[in-house]
Amino acid sequence: MAQRAVWLISREPGTPFCGTVRFSRRYPTVEKRAKVFNGASYVPIPEDGPFLKALLFELRLLDDEEDFIESRDSCSHINKTSVYGLLIGGGELWPVVAFLKNNMIYACVPLVEQTLSPHPPLISISGISQGFELLFGVQDFLSLSQKNDTELNTKLNQLPDLLLQACPFGTLLDANLQNSLDSINFASVTHSQKQPAWKVGTYKGKPQVSISITEKVKSMQYDKQDIADTWQVVGTVTCKCDLEGIMPNVTISLSLPTNGSPLQDILVHPCVTSLDSAILTSSSIDAMDDSAFSGPYKFPLTPPLESFNLCYYTSQVPVPPILGFYQMKEEEIQVKITVNLKLHESVKNNFEFCEAHIPFYNRGPITHVDYKVSFGQLEVFREKSSLVWIIGQKFPKSMEINLSGTVTFGAKSHEKQSFDEICIGGTAYLKLHFRILDYTLTGCYADQHSVQVFASGKPKISTRKL
């Protein structure tokens, strides 16, 4: 699936639009196809200026904008996908894939081979996942060994030639742009086996395969009978295969323990050559039952030279890793808070860090805090009107900790205070940040003995959980 256009925008507060287009590429042949497929719902790709202004507005990155705009910030317009619609020239340019990373906005517009009115489901548009893959590849290329602005400018100048090889005519062939750079500098060598177009070099050295699994849990707990708590695990499997030969073949298997939570919504890297139909059809939209496919999940592939994300997945674990209760009562210029956190008994009690952030919006600076904490320590950020409860590396043996106290606020100053349209009066939240070492909530793991490598030499295989 092809892309209609690609942009790189540096975030620069103080400039007219708070950003500058550092790179853009349009694909006219893809644009002609978009006009045919989209019909009356077709909106042409705009010039860089109007696109920049519309995107920064949608991302809330314009310095002079209002705090709350109904058409963009209302509850009916919550965006969870990094896919946006931009109002340009009386029409809506959709879908626009965009995200901000290290003061650089990465954006593209995938081709949708059907009408856009009404919007088709995102899962039916394969160009969106290809767009993310392309933008992640550009991000990896720009961040690799980058030490200063001079190196960044050098890499930006290399992008036009690199995209000619990695994404000709808007069609992604290889998201690892370093491969294309190696190809440009690669001396021609005669091979007995034909070199594939997407793999533009070969590895020479000790064979090794590295696999790492990272899981992130997103949870919303309300402690109300009329509002259901929600939680979900999102996982990423990253691989690096240093193997000699032009087309080495590898099969990587992911497994679950007996009581593990099945993997769902699995998206794989284009280098994966085939998949079991049970993997493709396992979706979080369907009701979970005992018949859900629980592995092993096998991924036969021909790996690229550089590190790549083998797959992404979601999973519905039985309970959140940490159960929480947060209550706030307002009394004039004070609020009384009560927090209770409990680590579930099935979760590994070994954190790299664990912190609870408690912001107080629409108020003046904190002038005094009287508190009692059963574990850890509390830090007060007075000007930011927030508290940070530093829990540390372990919960106590009881697996339960408490915080209670009274927070007093001063008068609001004329300077801009922390503002939120939703967190008014007694409406508030606590946000928990933590990382558990060498652990996955689903129990997912890659057994190094189940990794099959069809290449010369016996590789060293390493697996880890991040």
Side-chain angles (χ1 to χ4, degrees):
M1 188 57 64
Q3 307 299 313
R4 296 168 59 186
V6 181
W7 290 268
L8 295 182
I9 301 167
S10 60
R11 174 87 171 100
E12 298 175 4
T15 58
F17 287 150
C18 307
T20 301
V21 176
R22 303 293 297 274
F23 173 83
S24 65
R25 167 64 59 86
R26 292 162 176 79
Y27 296 97
T29 56
V30 182
E31 192 67 11
K32 290 182 179 179
R33 292 165 59 194
K35 189 172 183 178
V36 174
F37 283 122
N38 300 159
S41 60
Y42 168 77
V43 174
I45 296 294
E47 296 298 320
D48 288 346
F51 178 84
L52 172 63
K53 187 174 182 180
L55 181 61
L56 293 178
F57 171 81
E58 187 67 24
L59 297 178
R60 298 194 60 161
L61 295 178
L62 291 175
D63 284 344
D64 59 349
E65 66 179 26
E66 302 175 26
D67 286 310
F68 180 82
I69 298 175
E70 178 71 23
S71 62
R72 180 194 61 194
D73 302 324
S74 67
C75 291
S76 60
H77 197 71
I78 296 175
N79 190 297
K80 299 180 180 179
T81 61
S82 296
V83 178
Y84 303 91
L86 306 185
L87 297 179
I88 295 176
E92 182 189 39
L93 181 64
W94 185 93
V96 178
V97 175
F99 60 86
L100 174 65
K101 187 72 173 180
N102 297 331
N103 284 324
M104 185 74 77
I105 301 172
Y106 300 81
C108 67
V109 180
L111 172 67
V112 181
E113 297 182 342
Q114 57 183 298
T115 181
L116 301 178
S117 181
H119 290 171
L122 296 183
I123 196 172
S124 68
I125 306 173
S126 59
I128 290 180
S129 59
Q130 293 286 334
F132 275 114
E133 193 72 20
L134 171 61
L135 296 181
F136 287 143
V138 175
Q139 176 197 327
D140 289 343
F141 173 72
L142 294 183
S143 61
L144 184 65
S145 302
Q146 179 190 318
K147 298 179 181 179
N148 50 49
D149 288 340
T150 301
E151 291 186 8
L152 174 61
N153 291 331
T154 299
K155 291 193 172 187
L156 288 171
N157 290 333
Q158 292 171 337
L159 275 181
D161 291 334
L162 296 182
L163 288 183
L164 281 176
Q165 295 196 41
C167 192
F169 302 103
T171 301
L172 182 63
L173 298 181
D174 186 0
N176 293 290
L177 299 191
Q178 189 64 37
N179 290 352
S180 299
L181 183 63
D182 293 341
S183 174
I184 295 173
N185 302 321
F186 189 70
S188 61
V189 178
T190 302
H191 297 286
S192 57
Q193 185 179 4
K194 186 178 180 181
Q195 185 85 2
W198 57 266
K199 189 172 185 180
V200 289
T202 57
Y203 172 80
K204 294 294 183 182
K206 293 183 178 180
Q208 54 187 356
V209 176
S210 301
I211 306 167
S212 62
I213 303 175
T214 304
E215 289 187 348
K216 296 181 179 180
V217 61
K218 299 180 180 180
S219 175
M220 297 284 287
Q221 300 176 40
Y222 302 95
D223 195 46
K224 290 186 177 181
Q225 292 183 350
D226 57 334
I227 304 179
D229 296 343
T230 62
W231 60 91
Q232 187 182 55
V233 172
V234 179
T236 304
V237 181
T238 304
C239 299
K240 179 74 162 64
C241 299
D242 295 328
L243 301 171
E244 292 189 347
I246 297 175
M247 291 285 285
N249 292 312
V250 180
T251 298
I252 295 174
S253 297
L254 302 180
S255 301
L256 297 172
T258 304
N259 59 344
S261 302
L263 309 185
Q264 302 170 320
D265 305 325
I266 298 175
L267 297 176
V268 300
H269 190 274
C271 72
V272 175
T273 55
S274 63
L275 274 180
D276 190 306
S277 60
I279 296 178
L280 291 172
T281 56
S282 180
S283 170
S284 59
I285 299 175
D286 302 327
M288 183 70 70
D289 55 40
D290 294 337
S291 65
F293 183 67
S294 56
Y297 305 85
K298 294 187 177 183
F299 302 92
L301 60 127
T302 302
L305 291 175
E306 301 303 317
S307 176
F308 64 100
N309 293 326
L310 172 64
C311 70
Y312 304 92
Y313 62 84
T314 66
S315 183
Q316 189 66 51
V317 294
V319 293
I322 299 177
L323 297 173
F325 168 81
Y326 176 39
Q327 184 181 65
M328 185 181 78
K329 294 183 178 179
E330 188 171 16
E331 297 178 357
E332 297 181 353
I333 62 171
Q334 294 181 332
V335 294
K336 291 186 176 181
I337 62 171
T338 302
V339 181
N340 176 271
L341 299 176
K342 185 175 182 180
L343 180 67
H344 193 269
E345 58 185 10
S346 65
V347 177
K348 183 178 180 181
N349 189 12
N350 183 17
F351 295 84
E352 181 177 342
F353 63 87
C354 186
E355 298 177 350
H357 292 229
I358 312 174
F360 299 97
Y361 291 100
N362 313 317
R363 304 175 190 275
I366 296 174
T367 58
H368 180 72
V369 180
D370 183 16
Y371 68 92
K372 180 179 180 181
V373 61
S374 66
F375 193 80
Q377 62 186 49
L378 190 70
E379 291 191 359
V380 181
F381 294 86
R382 300 181 184 278
E383 295 304 319
K384 293 184 178 180
S385 300
S386 67
L387 305 177
V388 176
W389 183 10
I390 301 176
I391 298 164
Q393 278 72 48
K394 283 183 177 291
F395 273 61
K397 290 183 178 180
S398 65
M399 299 294 188
E400 192 168 350
I401 55 178
N402 301 282
L403 165 67
S404 60
T406 302
V407 184
T408 304
F409 300 91
K412 290 185 180 180
S413 65
H414 293 293
E415 298 179 4
K416 196 170 184 180
Q417 298 286 343
S418 299
F419 176 81
D420 189 277
E421 187 75 15
I422 305 299
C423 296
I424 297 175
T427 303
Y429 67 86
L430 176 149
K431 192 171 186 179
L432 198 60
H433 301 262
F434 64 90
R435 182 171 182 173
I436 304 177
L437 298 168
D438 192 28
Y439 179 78
T440 56
L441 287 165
T442 61
C444 180
Y445 65 94
D447 185 356
Q448 61 183 11
H449 299 294
S450 67
V451 177
Q452 296 177 303
V453 178
F454 304 94
S456 60
K458 185 176 181 180
K460 176 184 177 182
I461 298 174
S462 60
T463 63
R464 58 177 178 164
K465 303 171 184 176
L466 299 179

